[in-house]
Amino acid sequence: MATPSPPQRQQEEKQSVSLSKKKNQNRKRTKHDPELERLDSLPWNSSLPNEEEDDTFSLFIGSGDLDGGFLSLEEIDESDYGLDVPGAKKKISNKNSKLKKQKLEEVTEGSREDAEDEPEPAEGMAEEKNVKAKKKKKKSKKKKAKAVQQEDESATVIDSKDDEKEQMLYEDEAEAYAEFYAWNELRLHPLLMKSISRLGFKEPTPIQRTCIPAAAHQGKDVIGAAETGSGKTLAFGLPIFQRLLEEREKAANMLEEKGEEAGKYAPKGVLRALIITPTRELTLQVTDHLKEFAKDINVRVVPIVGGMSAEKQERLLKTRPEVIVGTPGRLWELMSGGEKHLVELHSLSFFVLDEADRMVEAGHFRELQSIIEMLPMTSGTTDGQSQNTQNCVTVSSLSRKKRQTFVFSATLALSADFRKKLKRGSLKSKQSTDGLNSIEILSERAGMKPNAAIVDLTNASILAKNLEESFIECREEDKDAYLYYILSIHGEGRTIVFCTSIAALRHISSILRILGVNVSTLHAQMQQRARLKAIDRFRANEHGILVATDVAARGLDIPGVRTVVHYQLPHSAEVYVHRSGRTARASSDGCSIALISPNDSAKFASLCKSFAKESIKHFPLESSYMPEVMKRLSLARQIDKISRKDSQERANKSWLERSAESLELVVENYDSEEERVKKFKQKKASSNHLKKLQQELNGLLSRPLRPKTFSHRYPTAAGVTHLIQHQFEELAKQNGDDNLVLGENKRRKMVVIGQDCVEPLQALRSAGHEVVNLMF
Ligand SMILES: Nc1ncnc2c1ncn2[C@@H]1O[C@H](COP(=O)(O)OP(=O)(O)OP(=O)(O)O)[C@@H](O)[C@H]1O
């Protein structure tokens, strides 16, 4: 082995000093280094290169930035997954030295070859020639050795720079990955960890922390309940991906080691996971969420929903996706029609019911039951089932035996003896379709095992903990006014307004549009395309307003929904939870406002009782705005009434009349001349009236909404409302800060007092103690 030249040694020493300095700095950052301690305690640790010999490795394991570790070293080999993680750098360095060594060997080899190629000299001349040749060889050897040395020296300089760069990279990466150490305990595949870090999910949510080990590592079935927006999709999604990845690895290993067929361990082109959700929107959302992970691991996730064109559906199914997310209606339609990919269920490893209670509630029990009956038994197969799976390509007994069932929802009530019932198998025979039992029945029929993990993280109130609830007491006919008040005074952030009936939805969306409030609507009678467009429009507008029925209550995950308004109360406490759960999702907060008329009070009281609520806040209102609100609303209602009457009349005209009118043909009219003149005059008067109302309303809408006592010059004592006072305080604080930073000469921004500045949650919080708590 070539001994390093003095400058090289100096360089190396310098390098080692600088690295060990850095190392020490890193050490100082953490008093306690559990990863290092753990490695120290391992029996193979002594065989590892020591810190002086291999700085790269020791820096990686010893870095305080990796406290708790990203993934423990004995569990993974990052290079297997093509991950650019710190440990991989060690190999790069080794590779460099290998290259150097190879080059050196080439040189020695080369001089040996040179010597061998030399022709045999003639006697006499031989000695002289030999001496010459030896000299020449010596010279060329020296030359080459010098070249190597130079190359080596420059390589050392480059190496040292590279090492420093690498060093910095390790630290950056270690820092970046260290942020995700909380996921370590879940022992997820590195490729999944890569997606998690890409999405910036710093730690698993409680439902993920509890369900993933049971589902992914113990192979258990899971019934999971946790508040809205708590990350349930990944609680069942990650175990699915984990298992598919593990199987793939096993297949690759078996193929390499024993030459065994890969399909036996990781079946290809067959359905592996079937996820059922109650609505089309939810299906598409779950699909998108899972795709974020699937794209890194080459797993196909496809949605199957009603309203999708047959061609598109066919195209999607032709790709033979491993994971299908769908609604029960369309899935059953295709399955009962014998769709090939959907009836080849022999390798199905996961059956998931998301928002399970809603599916049963929405009358999907029969379709679900039929789908479940098509699933092969988890152990053994009945005659009926073998018929359904007669087209099997690869029947993996491994997958069949191990099918896991996951049932998830935010509101899931199970009977106390559910597990016992599962053990006895007493649910199988029941035909009950009532909400509560049907979930238990479906779970068991789907093959839920008695040792299933039941994870219920809902607290007594079930509502998201970052949700602030409030209500406004008003007359039924004043609900529109208060809704308009909320949307115009507190128009910040996205708002969803929930109605129970489509008629109410149509009414308020029409009034709000006349009042110049831009709203999107969403209800079950809309075409699928229009529904998706409405969601997209809402998603695209930071301050968007969506007026929706309970079709949007479950699962819709739209970031930045700050407020949920219950214009009408829902029929059940569960739906109230799901509606309110459209805000305050993941770690963000939000507020809900229920509009309660005298007719609603009994229902509202029992709702609060069922969530064990002792008090609920009044939403703070500034009554000084109400006269202006009422004025605008009265005009809007009149305009709405006339417009509705007109459209009703138009709709009532027969098809013949309308067609004739459009062709300018005269249709026989049996009205007398007098009647016709009268009708014409009425129509004209109504149209003039409509124009006048519209003009008056436009005049009002052209100015900002103002409190009655608002003075253009300065607010009088009576006009200083909570809201305005709060805004003055904020303004004063802001000016103070600005003056500090920019001095007195800064130009001030014009602020409209009392307008659109405070979102409902802020108004609710700043009202603080002034709000009366109402006890039921
Ligand atoms: N570990 C995590 N850290 C941060 N955000 C997360 C995490 N897991 C999921 N999320 C995000 O939280 C949001 C809510 O997740 P998800 O839709 O799965 O909630 P959910 O419990 O199913 O809600 P719902 O009951 O309303 O359907 C999503 O935007 C998701 O991307």
Side-chain angles (χ1 to χ4, degrees):
M1 207 175 108
T3 40
S5 62
Q8 189 185 348
R9 210 176 300 131
Q10 266 176 11
Q11 190 68 40
E12 278 172 1
E13 272 163 15
K14 253 194 213 165
Q15 196 186 334
S16 119
V17 170
S18 83
L19 290 180
S20 62
K21 264 186 196 165
K22 269 183 194 157
K23 201 164 53 195
N24 289 339
Q25 281 163 8
N26 283 334
R27 283 285 148 76
K28 266 175 217 160
R29 264 188 265 158
T30 36
K31 288 173 199 145
H32 173 68
D33 196 337
E35 186 68 352
L36 195 57
E37 278 171 18
R38 186 177 69 79
L39 286 162
D40 273 333
S41 68
L42 292 172
W44 42 264
N45 194 41
S46 55
S47 68
L48 286 174
N50 65 34
E51 285 171 24
E52 270 74 39
E53 278 169 0
D54 197 325
D55 279 307
T56 321
F57 185 67
S58 62
L59 275 165
F60 170 53
I61 57 166
S63 160
D65 299 324
L66 275 172
D67 256 0
F70 165 56
L71 280 162
S72 61
L73 287 171
E74 77 265 54
E75 279 160 16
I76 57 150
D77 182 357
E78 298 83 1
S79 60
D80 286 351
Y81 307 107
L83 285 181
D84 193 19
V85 294
K89 307 284 179 189
K90 187 182 154 235
K91 286 177 189 161
I92 299 170
S93 279
N94 287 344
K95 212 172 160 189
N96 279 346
S97 59
K98 248 189 199 167
L99 255 168
K100 270 193 256 169
K101 206 175 158 194
Q102 204 179 328
K103 273 195 174 173
L104 251 169
E105 274 167 7
E106 265 173 29
V107 172
T108 339
E109 202 56 25
S111 39
R112 206 181 301 135
E113 270 168 20
D114 283 350
E116 277 164 10
D117 283 347
E118 203 88 17
E120 277 289 317
E123 209 153 331
M125 297 282 285
E127 214 164 292
E128 200 187 333
K129 257 192 174 179
N130 253 349
V131 174
K132 266 187 185 173
K134 267 182 189 167
K135 269 185 187 169
K136 202 178 156 194
K137 251 185 218 172
K138 238 183 184 175
K139 235 180 177 180
S140 98
K141 253 188 185 177
K142 257 187 185 174
K143 219 171 151 187
K144 277 177 182 170
K146 205 174 170 188
V148 170
Q149 186 184 320
Q150 273 171 356
E151 212 172 290
D152 241 17
E153 276 168 18
S154 63
T156 315
V157 177
I158 293 166
D159 265 7
S160 125
K161 278 185 186 162
D162 281 355
D163 280 348
E164 273 183 35
K165 262 190 199 165
E166 278 170 18
Q167 173 68 23
M168 276 153 71
L169 267 175
Y170 305 159
E171 286 172 11
D172 287 352
E173 284 173 356
E175 228 159 73
Y177 286 120
E179 283 186 280
F180 301 94
Y181 77 93
W183 287 90
N184 243 12
E185 63 187 87
L186 301 187
R187 290 188 290 127
L188 287 171
H189 193 282
L191 288 176
L192 297 178
M193 286 305 302
K194 197 178 166 195
S195 305
I196 286 168
S197 71
R198 179 169 44 79
L199 293 171
F201 293 167
K202 299 269 157 62
E203 53 179 0
T205 62
I207 189 81
Q208 292 164 358
R209 205 186 286 271
T210 329
C211 293
I212 293 172
H217 304 304
Q218 294 166 22
K220 283 189 175 178
D221 293 343
V222 175
I223 295 194
E227 65 185 42
T228 50
S230 57
K232 292 188 285 293
T233 313
L234 290 187
F236 62 76
L238 289 175
I240 295 176
F241 292 140
Q242 175 78 15
R243 178 160 163 191
L244 296 186
L245 286 167
E246 278 172 6
E247 282 179 7
R248 267 191 214 167
E249 260 161 39
K250 189 168 180 184
N253 287 344
M254 295 315 266
L255 185 69
E256 200 182 291
E257 284 168 21
K258 298 183 186 168
E260 284 194 57
E261 203 191 320
K264 201 170 156 189
Y265 300 94
K268 270 188 173 175
V270 284
L271 188 59
R272 305 301 312 280
L274 183 60
I275 302 164
I276 310 191
T277 81
T279 64
R280 298 164 181 187
E281 288 77 9
L282 199 50
T283 289
L284 299 180
Q285 189 180 289
V286 169
T287 308
D288 285 348
H289 200 3
L290 295 182
K291 269 185 174 171
E292 285 287 348
F293 285 78
K295 66 184 173 199
D296 284 341
I297 57 173
N298 196 19
V299 169
R300 277 171 305 253
V301 183
V302 154
I304 298 291
V305 285
M308 191 185 272
S309 75
E311 297 84 56
K312 178 155 189 193
Q313 202 145 331
E314 208 175 298
R315 208 168 354 108
L316 288 177
L317 287 166
K318 258 194 185 152
T319 63
R320 307 192 72 76
E322 292 93 333
V323 181
I324 284 184
V325 190
T327 44
R330 177 54 65 97
L331 275 174
W332 176 237
E333 193 184 311
L334 291 171
M335 287 170 98
S336 55
E339 206 294 325
K340 210 166 170 261
H341 190 61
L342 283 168
V343 296
E344 283 172 3
L345 296 165
H346 45 82
S347 292
L348 191 75
S349 296
F350 298 94
F351 181 69
V352 187
L353 296 177
D354 188 19
E355 302 292 353
D357 51 345
R358 164 72 199 267
M359 261 180 298
V360 182
E361 209 177 79
H364 291 305
F365 185 85
R366 299 231 167 275
E367 287 150 347
L368 270 176
Q369 198 175 5
S370 310
I371 292 171
I372 287 169
E373 273 162 19
M374 279 198 105
L375 304 178
M377 295 285 273
T378 42
S379 47
T381 312
T382 66
D383 288 348
Q385 277 135 4
S386 56
Q387 251 178 21
N388 290 330
T389 55
Q390 62 192 352
N391 298 329
C392 299
V393 211
T394 22
V395 182
S396 159
S397 55
L398 187 92
S399 324
R400 187 192 295 178
K401 267 180 206 147
K402 279 195 171 172
R403 193 179 69 232
Q404 286 174 265
T405 306
F406 301 150
V407 176
F408 277 80
S409 187
T411 47
L412 197 64
L414 299 171
S415 47
D417 58 345
F418 174 58
R419 204 186 283 278
K420 272 190 202 154
K421 285 186 204 161
L422 271 181
K423 255 184 203 154
R424 284 200 303 264
S426 59
L427 288 160
K428 273 188 184 141
S429 52
K430 288 202 178 150
Q431 285 300 319
S432 161
T433 52
D434 71 82
L436 195 69
N437 281 336
S438 35
I439 291 182
E440 299 184 354
I441 293 169
L442 289 176
S443 300
E444 180 166 39
R445 289 201 185 146
M448 177 81 62
K449 291 171 223 74
N451 72 342
I454 300 178
V455 181
D456 185 359
L457 300 184
T458 53
N459 54 29
S461 82
I462 323 178
L463 292 152
K465 56 181 176 303
N466 296 333
L467 173 77
E468 294 242 8
E469 288 174 280
S470 65
F471 76 108
I472 294 174
E473 269 179 309
C474 61
R475 294 182 308 169
E476 189 65 44
E477 58 270 32
D478 291 340
K479 281 188 175 180
D480 296 349
Y482 285 107
L483 178 63
Y484 178 59
Y485 168 90
I486 296 166
L487 297 177
S488 33
I489 300 291
H490 304 297
E492 291 275 294
R494 295 192 180 93
T495 306
I496 305 185
V497 180
F498 278 105
C499 301
T500 311
S501 70
I502 295 180
L505 174 145
R506 288 199 171 120
H507 163 75
I508 57 165
S509 51
S510 163
I511 294 281
L512 288 172
R513 278 177 186 143
I514 293 170
L515 286 165
V517 182
N518 185 12
V519 298
S520 309
T521 51
L522 183 69
H523 59 81
Q525 282 176 14
M526 281 164 70
Q527 294 275 330
Q528 183 61 25
R529 190 186 264 260
R531 279 161 71 163
L532 294 177
K533 249 187 169 172
I535 293 176
D536 283 346
R537 232 186 357 256
F538 178 56
R539 225 185 257 273
N541 185 353
E542 208 188 325
H543 304 293
I545 299 164
L546 179 72
V547 183
T549 58
D550 290 324
V551 75
R554 301 223 180 204
L556 263 197
D557 181 44
I558 296 170
V561 175
R562 305 292 301 145
T563 314
V564 164
V565 180
H566 302 275
Y567 180 85
Q568 292 174 308
L569 281 183
H571 294 309
S572 71
E574 279 78 17
V575 179
Y576 178 84
V577 172
H578 286 288
R579 278 182 177 187
S580 305
R582 296 317 99 208
T583 183
R585 296 178 70 74
S587 52
S588 52
D589 50 15
C591 134
S592 80
I593 309 168
L595 300 177
I596 306 297
S597 71
N599 287 342
D600 299 318
S601 356
K603 201 178 190 182
F604 192 53
S606 79
L607 203 80
C608 293
K609 218 170 154 187
S610 64
F611 300 133
K613 286 226 162 285
E614 287 175 0
S615 62
I616 190 161
K617 284 179 175 177
H618 268 299
F619 186 79
L621 294 167
E622 297 301 344
S623 52
S624 49
Y625 282 99
M626 291 320 281
E628 172 85 5
V629 167
M630 289 299 191
K631 213 160 143 188
R632 292 181 183 195
L633 193 70
S634 154
L635 290 168
R637 278 181 176 155
Q638 290 179 62
I639 293 169
D640 184 52
K641 198 172 165 190
I642 297 172
S643 317
R644 266 177 201 273
K645 201 173 153 210
D646 278 358
S647 58
Q648 191 69 43
E649 273 173 12
R650 271 199 303 275
N652 286 345
K653 278 189 179 179
S654 70
W655 173 84
L656 183 67
E657 269 182 310
R658 269 187 280 130
S659 313
E661 205 172 82
S662 67
L663 294 169
E664 292 180 7
L665 293 174
V666 180
V667 185
E668 289 252 22
N669 191 337
Y670 299 105
D671 283 348
S672 69
E673 184 65 26
E674 203 179 319
E675 272 172 344
R676 259 189 279 153
V677 172
K678 197 177 149 195
K679 272 187 184 168
F680 178 76
K681 278 184 178 169
Q682 272 175 353
K683 216 175 166 185
K684 189 138 196 211
S686 153
S687 140
N688 285 341
H689 184 48
L690 186 65
K691 254 188 209 154
K692 236 176 96 191
L693 291 169
Q694 196 67 66
Q695 272 171 1
E696 199 181 339
L697 181 64
N698 287 347
L700 293 179
L701 295 178
S702 65
R703 310 193 293 260
L705 193 67
R706 288 188 303 240
K708 198 180 169 207
T709 46
F710 185 82
S711 155
H712 284 274
R713 293 169 64 197
Y714 52 86
T716 62
V720 183
T721 61
H722 284 311
L723 176 68
I724 295 174
Q725 191 180 333
H726 176 80
Q727 285 171 348
F728 275 136
E729 280 166 15
E730 286 290 305
L731 203 61
K733 215 171 97 200
Q734 215 176 323
N735 282 346
D737 293 347
D738 287 349
N739 289 342
L740 273 178
V741 179
L742 296 157
E744 288 296 328
N745 295 334
K746 187 186 174 276
R747 271 183 67 181
R748 303 229 158 82
K749 213 174 83 185
M750 207 171 80
V751 178
V752 183
I753 292 295
Q755 276 291 301
D756 277 352
C757 297
V758 183
E759 66 175 50
L761 180 65
Q762 208 180 332
L764 193 58
R765 283 180 179 161
S766 61
H769 61 274
E770 291 170 52
V771 173
V772 182
N773 284 1
L774 191 83
M775 302 287 293
F776 287 100

